[in-house]
Amino acid sequence: MTATATDAAPHGAAAAPVRVVWSTEMLGYDFGVGHPMTSDRIDLTIALAAGLGLLAAPGVEVVAAEPASDALLTTVHDPAYVAAVHAAAERGVPDPARGLGTRDDPLFPQMHEAAARVVAGSVDAALAVWEGSAPHAVNVGGGLHHAMPGGASGFCVYNDAAVAIRALLAAGVPRVAYVDVDAHHGDGVQAVFWDDPRVLTVSLHETGAALFPGTGHPGETGGPGADGTAVNVALPSRTGDAGWLRAFDAVVPAVLRAFAPAVLVTQHGCDTHRLDPLASLRVSVNGQRLAAERLHALAHEVSDGRWLALGGGGYAVLDVVPRAWAHLIGIATHRPVDPATPVPAEWLDAVRQRYGREAVAVMTDGGVAEARPWSAGYDPGDDLDRAVRATRAAVFPSLGLDPELD
């Protein structure tokens, strides 16, 4: 076993097993040969996590999910849209006006069942965290953050994160925070809760001026009665570890502490990586790991450890996604994987046989550039600093924070 338990699990972590959502049925969410959203991402991640000893470790429970009911789906999605997904899956009926049968979201026979299963996995995990039957939970197949109430978008059919948050609110959770570190703006989750002051949505993403979906500008701060509950950090293209972590540290901890959520939901799209073919950020697996560690610590600080971590984007299928999300699983299960750990030989052999190529053989990309703290000063000539300052100026006052000091 190459992963080791921490010396002392955070408060509450030993009370119940950490939940990892997984069964082979989760692989049904797959848009087909040649599409970036392949279930190989999940299959390889789970195989790597298993090879690292994370899934069979004490205090970890692997839990399957049945497809969500239409009644659950329609807590977020329009009934006509859910009916359209059924028609697309069961009869092959495209509905381009609702995003079904497009280049991004081509039809596949299991479309409804597979997407509904992702939703149920995230909802069940969220409620387990709230009810105390799991301190943390992870669904790497989740994080389908672009789906809108009335349509599919950006490889996302149903918005599992939004349905999970809606279920938490229905269960009596007073405030939920959602933090999204995918390269693409978390537009669907933001749209669902735009007018709801009980939900804080935070998205750290590549600028919409350069990348789909073209939204997530700092001036998007929430609707009437909910101003300050949408937080958007639009990063310059080609931002690397130091800038990405500087932006994270300058915004995320302060807004979470001010909002004081009872549950933290996070989306860990790893398409921020420099090898990702669909975005232009330059983050490393090590930087992504550090962000997961920070969010884990913040969950213990602001929400008594109640944390649901989801997957999301990430299309460097062999060299990035499995390592990034295995690190996430390790952090959530309180068995963090040392970055210097070799990737298990059995996993590398399986990749070689399946894909005919070598994969990265160690759990690190090398060192991470030190992020300069925001308190060290603002550089008006730096694009990254201007982006961060724009966010702080737009949203901090509404949360009772000082954009110059906090």
Side-chain angles (χ1 to χ4, degrees), residues 28 53 67 75 92 120 210 212 239 250 274 280 291 293 296 308 319 338 348 351 358 360 365 368 381 393-394 397 404:
T75 61
F212 174 89
T239 296
R274 57 182 176 249
S280 301
E293 286 185 333
H296 177 211
L308 169 62
D319 292 327
D338 188 323
L348 292 171
V351 167
E358 301 295 326
V360 177
D365 284 340
V368 176
E404 302 301 328

Side-chain angles (χ1 to χ4, degrees), residues 18-405:
V18 173
R19 176 171 294 197
V20 177
V21 178
W22 164 244
S23 69
T24 55
E25 289 82 4
M26 303 296 288
L27 299 178
Y29 195 88
D30 190 317
F31 286 99
V33 176
H35 193 285
M37 194 68 150
T38 168
S39 61
D40 288 3
R41 305 172 332 128
I42 312 304
D43 194 15
L44 290 165
T45 295
I46 295 298
L48 179 55
L52 290 165
L54 300 175
L55 302 185
V60 178
E61 181 182 23
V62 179
V63 179
E66 295 298 319
S69 67
D70 287 2
L72 181 58
L73 296 171
T74 54
T75 61
V76 164
H77 293 288
D78 300 340
Y81 172 60
V82 175
V85 179
H86 274 288
E90 296 157 15
R91 302 192 301 278
V93 179
D95 190 341
R98 292 188 171 94
L100 300 170
T102 64
R103 181 178 179 181
D104 273 1
D105 299 286
L107 306 188
F108 61 98
Q110 295 178 289
M111 176 176 272
H112 167 77
E113 178 182 331
R117 193 183 302 275
V118 173
V119 170
S122 294
V123 169
D124 293 348
L127 294 176
V129 166
W130 172 240
E131 294 161 1
S133 56
H136 309 325
V138 186
N139 182 10
V140 294
L144 305 180
H145 61 167
H146 293 308
M148 293 290 178
S153 177
F155 315 159
C156 304
V157 177
Y158 295 133
N159 196 317
D160 64 292
V163 180
I165 293 169
R166 184 63 54 77
L168 288 169
L169 296 173
V173 178
R175 291 174 310 283
V176 181
Y178 169 80
V179 178
D180 187 319
V181 296
D182 195 287
H184 301 81
H185 177 226
D187 58 335
V189 184
Q190 175 180 287
V192 171
F193 300 107
W194 183 252
D195 297 317
D196 194 332
R198 299 172 297 172
V199 180
L200 177 75
T201 63
V202 185
S203 183
L204 187 78
H205 51 267
E206 185 174 350
T207 173
L211 192 67
F212 174 89
T215 54
H217 306 294
E220 298 170 29
T221 59
D227 187 51
T229 61
V231 181
N232 288 290
V233 187
L235 300 170
S237 298
R238 296 177 294 282
T239 296
D241 283 333
W244 193 68
L245 292 169
R246 174 169 165 80
F248 181 102
D249 292 343
V251 174
V252 176
V255 300
L256 287 181
R257 289 165 182 152
F259 189 72
V263 178
L264 177 63
V265 178
T266 58
Q267 197 266 23
H268 296 261
C270 53
D271 45 6
T272 53
H273 196 274
R274 57 182 176 249
L275 294 181
D276 197 273
L278 299 187
S280 301
L281 297 177
R282 296 291 183 265
V283 180
S284 68
V285 164
N286 302 63
Q288 294 167 342
R289 180 183 185 277
L290 287 173
E293 286 185 333
R294 283 162 161 79
L295 288 165
H296 177 211
L298 283 163
H300 282 285
E301 177 185 344
V302 304
S303 56
D304 198 27
R306 291 183 287 263
W307 180 35
L308 169 62
L310 306 173
Y315 310 101
V317 174
L318 301 183
D319 292 327
V320 177
V321 180
R323 292 187 300 144
W325 288 349
H327 276 304
L328 175 64
I329 292 170
I331 290 162
T333 57
H334 302 122
R335 300 180 69 83
V337 178
D338 188 323
T341 300
V343 172
E346 297 84 356
W347 189 89
L348 292 171
D349 288 343
V351 167
R352 192 178 301 113
Q353 293 171 17
R354 183 171 175 180
Y355 299 97
R357 56 155 287 194
E358 301 295 326
V360 177
V362 68
M363 292 295 291
T364 181
D365 284 340
V368 176
E370 189 70 23
R372 189 167 62 94
W374 190 254
S375 59
Y378 159 70
D379 180 359
D382 183 80
D383 289 344
L384 183 283
D385 277 15
R386 288 198 299 271
V388 171
R389 192 175 195 188
T391 298
R392 290 168 61 96
V395 77
F396 272 32
S398 296
L399 293 170
L401 297 168
D402 186 331
E404 302 301 328
L405 299 176

